[in-house]
């Protein structure tokens, strides 16, 4: 019995649990969620923070802590996706394509001032790979880490289309694998909003959110009023993001070049009708090679594999076109024998483009926002709240600061979550105070469990020697997340995969969500495509 996984024991008073206990007993996902909320072994542990480890101290320590990544990066396991508006992300996978297709896949989403190598994310993922035998997938939010921004859009709490594209890519690449989602800090907000917006059709089997900042209005208030948050966290994170913008300044300065090179998968009058793409019954190791692959694979530029050798990349697309010229944006060409290319099928009318065009008003707002951050020679002093108000809101096309705070927060998305979701928020978190947690909204979804330790800070929950004798070096939230997914693995359920449709220029998207359109590419293609053409100066005669 699923309910026998845990014994119902009163939870320690230092840990609050917010969960709607009235469930549908015929829904096994709700049964396991309730059993975990009432009888989790880790939840029964009375979490005690080490002496002197206040919420502020734990937050500081977690932000500067360093550790070994959960897996080493490798060019063989690095992929690149191009999004609907020309933005991109780098994806790293922990195991090669010859791994068993049915092992669970854990997608990690990093938080503010992080990237796909964020230590606080990898310390959560490490036991999921070593003890649960999972496949780990991490990716960069726009412009973070080694990724270079190729569109004038910055990541924020409402960047659900990018995460949706990555999830869709995973469902196509490993159709037999259960998909789990782990979001930390800002990544927890993006994950919660994605789950809520996708609703019943979400292909994710379960999720864990660690220190998600649900309510940006409450978080901004805390960042501007609390002494340490106002004097340390707010300016430090704001300066990091200002440097990030300066690193990617070209994407925000030259909108005309972006308008000429961005993809246009949803043309007003498509020459080719959309096609339906169904995932294959099992992953196939396609014997394929792609040009321009040396940057993201160890294979040769030679498109013909050597005799007796194969490249283990079941890529969605096998070839790339020649670099586009201004005014055109040619797609990667789907291979005729690709495992993901099927004969055309009846598909609904191509939806209008979900892209928002850059009007003169938006261009003017973006230029003013850039000026407030940098004058090309030096960075201007910037706090996180000021950066979001002056820059992120402008690049995301929000009409006002209040609208940005409201639309990018995840509070109103929690009731719509239909995926078993564990959220861990410490009451002394200086970035998301316990008094502002959306407990009422959390109770409106029987799939949602919110755990609120009294101490732990933001991504902290450092432990004592007594704890380490039993659980080793795992933090409290790491042990709780591991137990959560161990319980979910007892469910032999594979959530339905979305029906994938093919748009123009090689883009694919889950049915009903054209904003999640993507195509697989290479880093060399991105560099060539978005490089500005240089013309020789002509001498007057």
């Amino acid at each position: 019995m699923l309910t026998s996984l845990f014994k119902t024991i009163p939870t320690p008073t230092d840990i609050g649990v917010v969960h709607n206990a009235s469930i549908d007993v015929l829904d096994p996902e709700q049964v396991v969620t309730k059993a975990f909320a009432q009888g989790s072994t880790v939840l029964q542990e009375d979490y005690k923070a080490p002496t002197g480890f206040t919420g502020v101290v734990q937050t500081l320590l977690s932000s500067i802590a360093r550790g070994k990544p959960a897996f080493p990066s490798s060019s063989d396991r690095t992929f690149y996706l191009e999004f609907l508006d020309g933005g991109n992300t780098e994806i790293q996978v922990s195991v090669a394509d010859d791994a068993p297709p049915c092992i669970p896949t854990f997608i990690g989403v990093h938080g503010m001032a992080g990237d796909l190598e964020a230590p606080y994310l990898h310390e959560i993922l490490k036991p999921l790979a070593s003890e649960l035998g999972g496949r780990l997938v991490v990716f960069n939010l726009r412009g973070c880490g080694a990724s270079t921004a190729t569109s004038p859009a910055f990541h924020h709490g409402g960047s659900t289309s990018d995460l949706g594209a990555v999830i869709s890519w995973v469902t196509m690449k490993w159709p037999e694998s259960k998909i789990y989602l782990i979001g930390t800090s800002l990544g927890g907000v993006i994950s919660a909003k994605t789950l809520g917006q996708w609703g019943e059709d979400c292909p994710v089997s379960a999720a864990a959110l660690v220190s998600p900042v649900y309510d940006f209005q409450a978080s901004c208030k805390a960042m501007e009023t609390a002494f340490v948050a106002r004097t340390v966290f707010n300016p430090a994170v704001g300066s990091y993001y200002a440097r990030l913008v300066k690193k990617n300044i070209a994407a925000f300065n030259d909108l005309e070049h972006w308008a000429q090179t961005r993809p246009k998968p949803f043309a007003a009058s498509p020459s080719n009708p959309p096609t339906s793409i169904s995932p294959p019954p099992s992953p196939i190791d396609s014997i394929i090679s792609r040009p321009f692959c040396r940057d993201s694979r160890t294979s040769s530029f030679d498109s013909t594999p050597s005799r007796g050798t194969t490249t283990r990349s079941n890529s969605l697309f096998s070839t790339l076109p020649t670099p586009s010229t201004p005014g055109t944006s040619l797609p990667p060409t789907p291979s005729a024998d690709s495992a993901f290319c099927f004969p055309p099928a009846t598909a609904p009318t191509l939806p209008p483009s979900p892209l928002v065009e850059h009007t003169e008003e938006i261009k003017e707002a973006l230029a003013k926002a850039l000026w407030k951050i940098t004058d090309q020679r030096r960075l201007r002093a910037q706090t996180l709240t000021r950066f979001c108000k002056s820059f992120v809101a402008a690049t995301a096309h929000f009409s006002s600061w209040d609208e940005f705070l409201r639309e990018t927060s995840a509070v109103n998305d929690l009731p719509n979550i239909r995926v078993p979701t564990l959220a861990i928020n410490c009451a002394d978190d200086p970035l998301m105070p316990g008094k502002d947690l959306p407990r009422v909204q959390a109770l409106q979804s029987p799939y949602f469990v919110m755990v609120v330790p009294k101490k732990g800070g933001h991504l902290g929950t450092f432990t004592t020697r007594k704890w380490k004798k039993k659980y080793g070096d795992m933090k409290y939230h790491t042990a709780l997340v591991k137990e959560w997914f161990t319980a979910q693995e007892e469910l032999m359920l594979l959530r339905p995969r979305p029906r994938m449709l093919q748009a123009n220029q090689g883009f694919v998207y889950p049915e009903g969500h054209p904003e999640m359109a993507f195509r697989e590419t290479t880093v060399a293609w991105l560099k060539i495509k978005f490089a500005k053409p240089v013309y020789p100066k002509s001498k007057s005669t």
Side-chain angles (χ1 to χ4, degrees):
M1 294 291 293
L2 295 173
T3 53
S4 64
L5 291 171
F6 308 103
K7 296 180 181 179
T8 303
I9 306 173
T11 306
T13 55
D14 283 346
I15 301 173
V17 178
V18 181
H19 175 63
N20 182 1
S22 55
I23 63 171
D24 180 1
V25 295
L26 298 179
D27 187 338
E29 292 178 328
Q30 293 186 29
V31 172
V32 171
T33 302
K34 180 180 179 180
F36 180 89
Q38 295 181 344
S40 163
T41 303
V42 179
L43 274 179
Q44 311 318 316
E45 299 287 344
D46 192 8
Y47 170 70
K48 297 292 185 182
T51 303
F53 277 54
T54 63
V56 171
V57 171
Q58 296 209 47
T59 303
L60 285 171
L61 290 177
S62 67
S63 64
I64 63 177
R66 295 293 178 265
K68 292 184 178 180
F71 63 93
S73 60
S74 171
S75 58
D76 286 343
R77 296 177 272 104
T78 301
F79 302 85
Y80 297 87
L81 296 186
E82 184 179 4
F83 299 129
L84 177 64
D85 65 342
N88 73 91
T89 187
E90 175 186 343
I91 302 175
Q92 291 186 3
V93 183
S94 63
V95 296
D97 289 343
D98 57 356
C102 59
I103 62 174
T105 300
F106 296 90
I107 303 175
V109 191
H110 68 82
M112 293 183 293
D115 56 23
L116 56 77
E117 296 180 346
Y120 55 80
L121 176 60
H122 279 255
E123 70 181 6
I124 300 173
L125 296 175
K126 192 176 297 183
L128 302 180
S130 60
E131 299 185 33
L132 297 184
R135 176 191 295 107
L136 307 181
V137 175
V138 292
F139 69 99
N140 281 326
L141 296 177
R142 294 189 180 218
C144 293
S147 296
T148 301
T150 49
S151 71
F154 208 75
H155 65 269
H156 52 79
S159 302
T160 56
S161 59
D162 293 358
L163 177 56
V166 173
I167 294 173
S168 300
W169 176 79
V170 170
T171 64
M172 295 182 68
K173 194 166 179 63
W174 300 290
E176 293 183 358
S177 173
K178 291 179 70 175
I179 300 174
Y180 297 117
L181 185 62
I182 300 97
T184 55
S185 188
L186 177 64
V189 181
I190 298 173
S191 300
K193 289 187 70 66
T194 302
L195 296 174
Q197 292 174 6
W198 222 328
E200 296 281 358
D201 299 327
C202 184
V204 175
S205 294
L209 316 176
V210 183
S211 298
V213 185
Y214 307 98
D215 190 341
F216 286 118
Q217 188 166 10
S219 178
C220 287
K221 182 178 180 180
M223 294 274 279
E224 292 175 339
T225 55
F227 177 74
V228 176
R230 186 181 74 250
T231 57
V232 179
F233 299 134
N234 206 351
V237 180
S239 298
Y240 170 86
Y241 274 117
R243 293 193 299 271
L244 203 62
V245 170
K246 188 170 184 179
K247 164 198 157 188
N248 298 287
I249 194 70
F252 304 101
N253 262 341
D254 195 346
L255 297 182
E256 295 302 324
H257 178 70
W258 166 77
Q260 293 294 327
T261 59
R262 74 179 188 187
K264 299 176 179 62
F266 297 110
S269 300
S271 57
N272 298 318
T275 60
S276 172
I277 300 180
S278 302
S282 62
I284 300 175
D285 290 333
S286 305
I287 305 177
I288 55 177
S289 179
R290 298 179 294 166
F292 311 124
C293 283
R294 186 172 294 277
D295 292 76
S296 59
R297 299 285 189 279
T298 57
S299 58
S300 169
F301 278 91
D302 186 3
S303 60
T304 304
S306 302
R307 186 175 182 179
T309 63
T310 61
T311 55
R312 296 180 309 188
S313 172
N314 51 351
S315 168
L316 302 185
F317 307 106
S318 62
T319 59
L320 289 176
T322 55
S324 62
T325 56
T328 65
S329 183
L330 299 176
T333 306
S335 169
D337 58 352
S338 171
F340 298 98
C341 293
F342 284 78
T346 303
T349 304
L350 210 59
S353 172
L355 280 176
V356 177
E357 295 298 329
H358 279 63
T359 62
E360 291 302 322
E361 291 77 9
I362 292 176
K363 292 179 181 179
E364 183 180 353
L366 181 58
K368 289 181 178 179
L370 281 174
W371 182 85
K372 292 179 180 179
I373 294 175
T374 176
D375 60 1
Q376 304 295 333
R377 295 187 300 273
R378 61 183 177 84
L379 294 173
R380 303 182 191 276
Q382 198 82 196
T383 63
L384 176 61
T385 50
R386 181 183 174 186
F387 171 81
C388 291
K389 186 173 183 178
S390 63
F391 183 78
V392 182
T395 60
H397 307 159
F398 288 102
S399 59
S400 67
W401 173 236
D402 290 336
E403 183 190 12
F404 170 78
L405 294 176
R406 183 176 63 254
E407 295 298 326
T408 58
S409 297
V411 174
N412 295 327
D413 295 286
L414 300 186
N416 300 322
I417 292 179
R418 294 298 178 265
V419 172
T421 303
L422 169 70
I424 305 170
N425 288 88
C426 298
D428 62 351
D429 186 338
L431 307 184
M432 186 69 240
K435 63 182 179 62
D436 296 317
L437 292 176
R439 293 175 173 82
V440 174
Q441 289 80 2
L443 287 172
Q444 296 178 29
S445 173
Y447 298 88
F448 198 86
V449 179
M450 181 186 291
V451 177
V452 189
K454 285 187 177 180
K455 296 183 178 181
H458 191 79
L459 297 171
T461 67
F462 290 88
T463 55
T464 60
R465 292 182 179 178
K466 181 180 179 181
W467 169 274
K468 292 179 179 179
K469 289 180 180 179
K470 189 173 181 179
Y471 292 95
D473 292 331
M474 283 192 294
K475 291 182 179 179
Y476 177 80
H477 66 251
T478 302
L480 195 59
V481 168
K482 184 179 84 76
E483 187 182 35
W484 168 255
F485 286 121
T486 301
Q488 299 300 327
E489 275 292 276
E490 296 293 327
L491 286 173
M492 304 303 293
L493 297 175
L494 188 66
R495 292 182 70 93
R497 294 320 193 217
R499 181 169 177 255
M500 301 300 294
L501 300 179
Q502 185 168 342
N504 295 332
Q505 301 184 334
F507 276 81
V508 295
Y509 64 97
E511 185 175 22
H513 294 279
E515 74 280 0
M516 297 180 183
F518 68 93
R519 63 183 176 189
E520 190 177 320
T521 184
T522 66
V523 65
W525 163 254
L526 292 171
K527 287 180 179 179
I528 293 173
K529 177 182 176 182
F530 293 99
K532 296 181 182 179
V534 178
Y535 303 100
K537 296 181 179 179
S538 59
K539 296 181 179 180
S540 58
T541 58

